[in-house]
Amino acid sequence: MDVLTTLDISKKLRDQGIRLTPQRLAIAEVVINSADHPTARDIYARVREFFPYLTLATIYSTLSILETAGLVAQLPFQKESRYDSNNTLHLNLVCTKCESIVDCDSGSSYLSRIKKKIQDSGLFQIKYQRFDIYGLCETCSKQF
Ligand SMILES: [Zn+2]
Ligand SMILES: [Zn+2]
């Protein structure tokens, strides 16, 4: 995953008409550059290092702005939502034991072909999609 600079991210936000504040930019930078699909609490912990007075409510409201702008996707889970900044069609490999989520780096052309087939059929209008595969990650599968 390419790490985006503060400049890249502020441009992305401005392009989407999002008003920039230092807190917003820091939250966006953390979530966009995190490949581990963090929770709002994870993001809170990472940003608080730089903004100790930040509240969890600000994290949630900023995430919602970023989600509306299409910069991150919220992945609701029973326990807690995770946030995905990978905008490409991809599979999430979800470990049911340690709850890690890793993007699978193959299959995107296959997924886009399936999507195109559905769209071309005219029988279903796709709004969004989410592809999760559940199982055990490499570390967890080695443990008993
Ligand atoms: Zn695991
Ligand atoms: Zn993902």
Side-chain angles (χ1 to χ4, degrees):
M1 198 181 88
D2 297 332
V3 172
L4 295 181
T5 65
T6 309
L7 208 68
D8 295 333
I9 291 168
S10 56
K11 188 183 178 307
K12 261 180 189 281
L13 299 188
R14 260 189 272 112
D15 287 350
Q16 293 296 323
I18 298 170
R19 196 170 53 86
L20 288 184
T21 64
Q23 289 93 327
R24 259 184 202 171
L25 191 59
I27 295 164
E29 200 165 342
V30 163
V31 67
I32 289 170
N33 285 327
S34 295
D36 61 343
H37 307 71
T39 65
R41 279 165 204 283
D42 293 332
I43 298 159
Y44 183 50
R46 290 170 202 176
V47 180
R48 257 181 62 157
E49 217 180 291
F50 313 101
F51 294 94
Y53 299 108
L54 203 75
T55 64
L56 195 54
T58 306
I59 302 282
Y60 278 113
S61 67
T62 305
L63 286 171
S64 151
I65 291 167
L66 297 173
E67 198 188 344
T68 308
L71 297 172
V72 298
Q74 184 183 173
L75 306 178
F77 280 93
Q78 205 163 28
K79 200 170 147 194
E80 215 170 347
S81 280
R82 306 280 289 256
Y83 291 86
D84 196 340
S85 61
N86 184 348
N87 284 323
T88 64
L89 280 176
H90 68 280
L91 293 164
N92 291 310
L93 304 179
V94 183
C95 180
T96 52
K97 198 169 170 189
C98 71
E99 299 176 345
S100 66
I101 304 178
V102 173
D103 289 341
C104 177
D105 52 16
S106 63
S108 68
S109 66
Y110 190 61
L111 294 173
S112 63
R113 259 183 287 147
I114 296 174
K115 239 188 119 170
K116 193 179 179 303
K117 241 185 166 168
I118 295 168
Q119 262 157 350
D120 290 351
S121 76
L123 299 170
F124 191 81
Q125 213 186 339
I126 299 174
K127 283 189 178 155
Y128 65 93
Q129 67 285 313
R130 169 177 173 181
F131 303 105
D132 292 346
I133 293 183
Y134 295 84
L136 293 175
C137 72
E138 205 181 349
T139 313
C140 291
S141 66
K142 283 180 189 147
Q143 291 165 352
F144 294 100

